[in-house]
Every structure is written in C-alpha cells, then in structure tokens.
Amino acid sequence: MKIESIEAIVLALPYTHEGPLTGFGGHDWPVLQSCLVRVATEDGLVGWGECFGYTVLPASIAVLDNLVAPLAIGRDATDIAGLMEELKRKLHIFGRGGPTQYALSGLDIALWDLAGKRAGLPVAELLGGRQKTAIPAYTSLLKLGEPAIVARGCEKALEQGFRELKLHETTVEAVAAARAALGDDVELMVDVNCPWRFDEALDMAHRFEPYRLKWLEEPIWPPEDVEGLRRLKAAAPVDLAAGENIPNVWAFQPYIDASVLNYVQPSVTKVGGITEMMKVIARAEFVGVRVAPHSPYFGPGLLATLQVAATTPLVSSIECFGVRLGDTVFGPVGLPGADGRIEVPTTPGLGADPDPDAIARLRIN
C-alpha cells in the first residue's frame, strides 16, 4: 500500500509544574511543543508518529518536509525495514543523528501504527507479542532548583501514586530534599544532563551516595566519553544510565559492548523509531544490560515506547513527563492511573489516534 502524504503537525500544549518557567537546550518553555507526523496511504488509512525537536524542531520539520517526504511518498508503507534502511543510506551524509534521525523516527513510528491498524493488532503483537498489560511509570520532573520546591514536587508525585521519581537537579541539597520528602521506599533517580568531567562526576556520585539513587543519568561530559563512563562505573557507588542522545544502534554498540552503563536509554523519537529501538533492545538483551527508555512524551512517542516496552522484560518502568497539561490530544490513553501504572493500549496500531478537535485547538503551524 503506497504512501500518499506525510505531514508535520506542531502542537503547543499548555502546562504547569511546581517550579518557575524552565526548559532544556538553553531556552525556557512557555508551552510544550509536540510534533505529530501524519502519514496517509492511498487506501485512506492514517498512521501517526512523533518527531523530536524541542527548540530545534524547525530543523526536524525541514528535514521531514524537504528530504524525507519526497523520498518516501509513493513508496510501499508495508515495507518498513526496507524503506527505512534505504532512507538512512540516502540521507546519512546529513547526519546519523540530530534532525535527520528525528524526522526518520517520526516516519518510522507512523509506519508501525499503520502496520498495526492494517493487521488489526496492537504494535506489540507485531513485535513478538505483549508480555505486560501495564507498566509502572516514573514521573520525570523538570528542573526545580530550590530544595523546598523540589520537596513539594516530590510530595505531589506521591499523592499521584508514583513509586519512582526522577529529578533534573545537580546539587546535593536538592537531592537530599527529594529523599527526605519521598521517604525510604520510593525509587529516586537523578538526570544531570552531562555536566561533569570524570573527576567531578566521581566526586558527585559519592556525595549523592547517602540518598540511595537507583541510577545517576548522563553524568559525564562529553557524552561520547565511553572511557570516562567505564572508569566511573568501576568507581562510583551508584548505577549509571545514559542513551537518550545516542543516535542509532551502531552508536550504542561501544556503550553496550564495553558494559559502561547499567541502564541504556534509547529514545524512540530520536534513535530512528521503533525499528531502530528494537535493535538497541536486542543488543542490550544479548549482554544483559537493562533498558530504561527515554519517553517524556504525550503522544505517539509515548505510545510507541509502551508498545515496545510491553514486549520485553528488560524494561521495568516507563518515564512520563512530570507536568500538568492544560489540554490533551490523546485523552487518557498513555496517562498513569491512580496506582502509578500505565495501561498498554490494546487497540490496533499504537493504541490511539489524536482528537481532531484538540489538534484544531492546539495546532500552531
């Protein structure tokens, strides 16, 4: 069945959280931008993907519109592996990561949604079978800064039913406040977003030790310093996690083969979609490394991660954004329940389509 059209749809999602306005990549976020990728085939079927971008989203959309779509329109939507391999080969001179890979990820996710709909099955069944009906979620808080605000955010998360929580803080005071608010029975993770050289990272890992972290995420700068991570893993009193910025399965290989991480964290909207993410998981399984997907999304990126996670015991929990949305596009699908778990959708494809009325309200392109 041939691809008839590919369209990027950018949404601006209103949100609040416990702290002041903040964001990543050097910019504060007054709204959360989400880029849906709508792929229609000649029989009228529509699949939905998600293209990563944050503040680099215009570049991801430019790649999708000007490079990916012209090559993919008119091609067989059912030949996912063949089409994605061809596109990666043709576009590799523009980068094996970044906006090129983000655009390919959005297309790949949409093609899997189409495949599930055409087969009348959830994507997990196409990937080998669903092993889980629900997956525990951990809330991933934005950077809050002040210890008192961190504590308040943790208390709100407990009220929502979460038993795992991740911070984006770099100070001992903030981590100490979180542990005091959470008590001893809640798992606590800290993502520091690549701030430290080896010596600094080792010092901070020891300073965080009293607060019993499940993992310390992206502690090393530059993130490509595999040897630094190897040394840190050997010396630090905490498990290490990384991977949201590793752009494809070949780039993951040295991290996995050298056993420098306890948890690998592929991001389905950044790594090449479901096709590439399954390759990362297969390699992790081969050497016994656990998988903790990066998935702070509200649409197809999260739904795709759920479908993948349902197929493997390597994934024990799912990341969800620790914010309160002022509007939703996919309704309750993919949101944690009162017990802090997310149900894995069982309807064909990814499990839900966006609400057209919500798209009309929130669309900004």
Side-chain angles (χ1 to χ4, degrees):
M1 192 56 61
K2 292 182 179 180
I3 297 171
E4 187 173 69
S5 65
I6 300 173
E7 180 185 12
I9 299 172
V10 182
L11 307 177
L13 303 173
Y15 78 100
T16 57
H17 78 135
E18 295 307 317
L21 192 65
T22 187
F24 295 100
H27 295 269
D28 291 337
W29 298 345
V31 295
L32 298 177
Q33 288 194 9
S34 174
C35 182
L36 304 179
V37 178
R38 183 184 187 275
V39 178
T41 52
E42 59 187 353
D43 61 347
L45 205 60
V46 173
W48 294 92
E50 185 169 353
C51 181
F52 183 82
Y54 291 168
T55 48
V56 80
L57 193 54
S60 302
I61 294 171
V63 173
L64 185 72
D65 290 344
N66 299 312
L67 298 179
V68 174
L71 293 173
I73 290 173
R75 302 298 300 276
D76 182 4
T78 67
D79 182 19
I80 301 175
L83 177 58
M84 295 309 298
E85 179 69 13
E86 180 181 328
L87 292 176
K88 288 171 187 175
R89 286 173 180 261
K90 286 183 175 178
L91 298 176
H92 80 275
I93 60 170
F94 306 115
R96 292 272 287 149
T100 302
Q101 196 75 324
Y102 304 163
L104 291 171
S105 299
L107 173 61
D108 182 88
I109 294 167
L111 293 178
W112 278 102
D113 188 34
L114 281 166
K117 289 171 176 173
R118 187 163 280 113
L121 294 169
V123 167
E125 298 297 339
L126 303 183
L127 299 175
R130 189 177 64 149
Q131 299 184 27
K132 307 167 189 173
T133 60
I135 303 174
Y138 68 86
T139 185
S140 184
L141 303 182
L142 289 170
K143 190 173 181 64
L144 300 175
E146 293 293 330
I149 301 176
V150 171
R152 186 167 71 235
C154 292
E155 290 164 359
K156 292 287 183 65
L158 290 177
E159 292 171 4
Q160 294 169 330
F162 289 106
R163 306 305 300 167
E164 294 187 49
L165 180 143
K166 185 164 79 177
L167 303 175
H168 289 84
E169 309 294 337
T170 55
T171 69
V172 173
E173 293 78 10
V175 174
R179 175 52 74 195
L182 295 172
D184 294 331
D185 298 329
V186 174
E187 297 275 21
L188 176 62
M189 298 82 81
V190 176
D191 181 357
V192 293
N193 296 117
C194 308
W196 302 312
R197 297 287 184 174
F198 167 76
D199 290 342
E200 298 169 308
L202 181 59
D203 176 63
M204 291 303 297
H206 281 292
R207 293 176 68 189
F208 286 154
E209 184 177 8
Y211 309 108
R212 302 176 303 284
L213 302 185
K214 181 176 180 179
W215 72 62
L216 178 61
E217 184 171 334
E218 291 196 326
I220 289 285
W221 176 263
E224 299 85 1
D225 184 4
V226 177
E227 175 60 16
L229 282 168
R230 185 196 66 77
R231 293 169 62 202
L232 186 62
K233 182 171 181 278
V238 62
D239 284 352
L240 303 184
E244 71 170 276
N245 295 307
I246 301 176
N248 57 68
V249 67
W250 288 99
F252 265 98
Q253 183 170 334
Y255 295 85
I256 294 174
D257 290 356
S259 297
V260 301
L261 297 170
N262 303 95
Y263 296 87
V264 296
Q265 298 179 295
S267 179
V268 74
T269 69
K270 302 174 79 173
V271 78
I274 291 172
T275 301
E276 197 82 357
M277 189 167 179
M278 291 299 292
K279 294 176 183 178
V280 175
I281 290 174
R283 181 164 289 280
E285 183 174 21
F286 186 74
V287 298
V289 177
R290 289 164 286 182
V291 179
H294 174 260
S295 60
Y297 313 120
F298 300 103
L302 177 58
L303 298 179
T305 304
L306 284 168
Q307 295 291 338
V308 169
T311 70
T312 173
L314 295 184
V315 178
S316 60
S317 59
I318 290 289
E319 179 180 22
C320 63
F321 232 146
V323 301
R324 295 179 293 277
L325 291 181
D327 205 342
T328 61
V329 183
F330 286 80
V333 180
L335 298 179
D339 61 353
R341 294 160 58 86
I342 303 179
E343 296 290 329
V344 179
T346 58
T347 53
L350 295 178
D353 282 351
D355 177 3
D357 292 336
I359 290 178
R361 289 193 305 273
L362 300 170
R363 185 168 184 168
I364 58 173
N365 72 328

